[in-house]
Every structure is written in C-alpha cells, then in structure tokens.
Amino acid sequence: MNPTETTAWKSLSEHRREMESVHMRDLFARDPERFKRFSISFADTLFDYSKNRITEETLRLLFDLADEMDLPGWIERMFAGGKINVTEHRAVLHTALRNLPENPVYVDGENVMPRIEAVLAKMRDFTRSLHRGDLRGFSGQAVTDVVNIGIGGSDLGPHMVTEALKPYHRRGIRIHFVSNVDATHLMEILRRIRPETTLFIVASKTFTTQETLTNARSARRWLVEFSGSEDAVTRHFAAVSANPEAVWKFGIDPHNRFDIWDWVGGRYSLWSAIGLPIACAVGMEAFEELLAGAHEVDEHFRGTPFDRNIPVIMAMLGIWYRNFFGAPTHAILPYTEYLHLFPAYLQQLDMESNGKSIDRDGNRITGYQTGPVIWGKPGTNGQHAFYQLIHQGTQPVPADFILTLDPQNPDGDHHRILTAHFLAQTEALLKGRNVPEALHRAFDGNRPTNSILIDRLTPRSLGRLIALYEHKIFVQGIVWNINSFDQWGVELGKQLAGTILEELRSDTPLSGHDGSTTGLIDHIRRKK
Ligand code: G6Q
C-alpha cells in the first residue's frame, strides 16, 4: 500500500497549504488551553508537543493516515510474534524481552518466554558472582574490569545505557566498550587495565562480524601473553551470541555463552543478553527496572488510543514534517550530560531502520521520502555550535528537547541555568523575533520542537524513553510501508572490503575497481 494513495495523505497535502501562513504564536494566542490540549503525562514523563505546527485537524488527519495504513493491525502482528521482518522471514520481538513471564508469546508455535527467563536467570547468577568478587581470573584475583567487544547493535545500546546510568554503577567494577577495528580503540583500553582482573564479553549475535572477531582475537592474544597459558581464556572470556559453534571454536567455555535469538534485531537488542555489560555495571535489579520501564511503554503503545499515544504522536509529527514540509533531518537534543550518547544511539536505531527506498512489497519507493537524518548533541553545548542553523537556516529542523528535572549532581545553580536554556531555546524557536531594521538579527520562529521532561533519569525512566523511540520508529516504518527491521544496505561495503583486504595484503595487479579506488589502493600500497 502506497501511503500517498490514501485519502488522508491527499487531505494532509491540502491541509499543509492552509497551514503555510499559520504561525504557532497565533495558535497559542488563540487557545489558552493549547499546552494542556497538546501534552501528555505518562508515569514520570511529560511529553509536550504543543510547540508544533499543528491543529486538532492536523492530528485527526495524521491519525487517519495511520489507520488507513493499518497501524493497529501491524502493532498486534508485531507483539504477537508475526514474521513482520519479511525479507529475513523473522519475527520482531524485542517487546517479548521485557514482557511479563506469565504472558506467553509464540514463535513457530513455541512460547519464547521460558527461554528469555532462563537467560535472565543466567545473567542474574553471573552478575551476582561478579559483584560479590567471586569471578576470579587466572591468578585468583577478582575481576574489576569488564570490556565489551561488539559493534553496531552489539555496542551502541549497551554503551549508551551504561553511560546514562553512571550514578547507579556498582563500586569496584569498571566497564569499557571496544567497537572500532582501529586497534587504537582496543589498545587505549588495554593500557588502562590488567589482564589478571579483566573479563571480556564478546558480544556478537552472528559471531562472524569481522571487526568484533579481530578485536576479540587481539584481546585473547594479550591475555594469553600475560598469563602464559590458553587456559586463561575460560576464566576471562564470555560471549553473547546465537552461534554456539563459533563461540566454542573461539575457545570460550560454552557455560559462559549467553543466548540470543534471530527474532531480536541487533539495534533492538539491549534488552537481551546484549545488555550484559549494563547489568555488570548497575546490577541485575536495575537492569530489570530498565526492562520494566520499557514494558510500561509497550503496554501504553499497544493499548492507548492514538490521540493519547505518545509514540504514535511522535511518529506522526515526524511524518508531518518529513513528508509535508520536506524536513530532511531531525535533531535529538538532550539537556542531560548522562544522555550524551543518546543521539548516536538513536541515529542507528532510526536510520538503519527507516533509511530504505524499497517498500514492503518489493517496489522502489517514488513520490515520498522515508527516514530523515537523525543527529544531535547535548545542550547547552549544541547552542554554541549548531543551533544557529536550527534558528535561522533555510531548512526546517524539527527537534526533540529532553530534560531531566532532578539533577543527579546538584551543585549551585547549574541545573537552573541548564533548565533556563532548555526553555529559552524552545521558546525562541517558537516565537522568533521581529527586527525590521536588521534582518540578520530577526528570527522567523514557527520552528517545531517537542519537549520531553523526565522527573529523574532512573533505569526505569530510561527504559521508557528508549521504548518510546523504538515504537515511534516502528510507526513511521508502517506508514512509509517499509521493513524497519532489515539492513541490507550494510552488505555491499562488507563484501567489497573482503576483496580489497586481499588486495592490500598482496601486490597482484588490480582489476574490477573504478579509477578512483584503483588510484587510492595504488597510493596506499606505495606508501606501505
Ligand atoms: C543492527 C545491525 C548491526 C549489528 C552489528 C553487529 O541492527 O544488525 O548493527 O548489530 O553488525 O552484529 P553482530 O552482533 O552479529 O556482531
């Protein structure tokens, strides 16, 4: 189904023309209830979407579009374990990972909840041993440093959450993340830790990812050189993977393997054993709080009418700007230093999910845009860097402003200053400023923002926040008629890199490359 052929899409195109001359300043002036009308409280989160170029009519049409694209049907299919990842013939069940154990979820006739519970129990045992000091290395000393080796979905989620939950970290355990195949990433960390007290978690669903395995092999070499024996690997390596043979071949004790399944997508996997480094950092109770927060949002998403449904509203506002205002990007601006990796994490979650140009029926998409570029950095730093373009650039940049109200590091007036800037920016973007005598100092305003206010950044509230965005992305994928759960676009580069790697190792004549690539390989070979 092509969304542009729906009745709602046509009505939205007309409505967009009517909204051209409408300024949000006037919408607020006309309606003293606008904030109340267009904001939703959910648990400790306030979602204010009143600073958007919308009226009740806009929302009605956007919800009609969601209905015409059968969003309610797709939500049910996802939660029920339907194989909605059609190109890989897989179910999409990150929601099952945070589901209550007594609610069965079936894949190919099997209830997956017992498997999930078994892995959680194993994670509980493992982290308990770690925190009690019972996990000991080859020399008998307790583990103090955990290094997660993974990339993409096996890195960004756990890394972001581990950073965000720093105030909850257990004393005496330090967590590190190695992802880049540039040896600098690994070496800089190895310089700071001791082999006797280090545990490596090799996080790779497939256990075939070149970067991860290269880093893991180098880490193993480092350990074996220091310990003088291959035996040390058993005590110092664990794995999270769906590929037991490869884990075993690598030399990791099968007891130290944590299972993951094909119905957990990489970028949606922090709720699975891929979250093990999170649990090592904050303990299993806090990890389960994270799951509980996400589960609350799952229930909200599944059970709330669209006009009170936060992820649906976030998604449809995004569609409004992407498809009817031509906004090419969307900014994520957390006013909370602990969320400094959140924009980078969402970049993968959103862009790998919805950066697609073939629709769910296998046709090339024409006539509408799919996922925007996602970017951002914490405020207030961004204000001194790129906000200029958001205020006065030629293209619209819808933005999500995220603030936590209860500072985890209260000190003097810092948090009040931070909050003042947060509020000032969204107000300036809304109102603008008229300076007829000097246009360069004028601001048009009318630039849309969402404000997400969270009482306190806890494991539970973070779980909620992440799940809101997961479901937002899902809704957009449904409306754009794309499969948000595959990522074929990463394959070609991987294949070419394999060929080029061989060519870099040898002096054989080059063939089959374009002139630029041939010239570059020649240059690199000469320099070596
Ligand atoms: C995410 C992608 C991708 C994946 C990495 C790591 O959705 O599939 O980022 O997570 O390529 O894959 P492995 O976990 O298999 O090493």
Side-chain angles (χ1 to χ4, degrees), residues 133-160:
D134 293 345
L135 273 192
R136 288 173 186 271
F138 65 87
S139 72
Q141 292 181 60
V143 168
T144 56
D145 288 83
V146 175
V147 181
N148 189 79
I149 301 179
I151 197 165
S154 300
D155 168 73
L156 284 160
H159 195 179
M160 181 275 288

Side-chain angles (χ1 to χ4, degrees), residues 46 95 117 149 176 202 223 242 289-290 341 354 408 461 485:
L46 174 70
T95 51
E117 287 308 304
I149 301 179
H176 314 267
V202 186
L223 172 77
E289 276 287 293
L290 184 83
L341 292 180
N354 287 345
Q408 260 128 333
S461 67
F485 299 102

Side-chain angles (χ1 to χ4, degrees), residues 182-225:
D182 181 345
T184 300
H185 204 177
L186 177 66
M187 294 308 157
E188 284 295 334
I189 288 168
L190 295 186
R191 274 179 201 132
R192 285 187 270 137
I193 57 179
R194 296 168 54 228
E196 301 92 309
T197 52
T198 297
L199 172 82
F200 293 98
I201 300 174
V202 186
S204 179
K205 185 170 135 183
T206 55
F207 226 79
T208 57
T209 304
Q210 187 185 39
E211 293 94 323
T212 299
L213 290 182
T214 304
N215 277 323
R217 282 189 211 106
S218 300
R220 184 177 60 187
R221 204 171 46 239
W222 177 78
L223 172 77
V224 171
E225 267 168 26

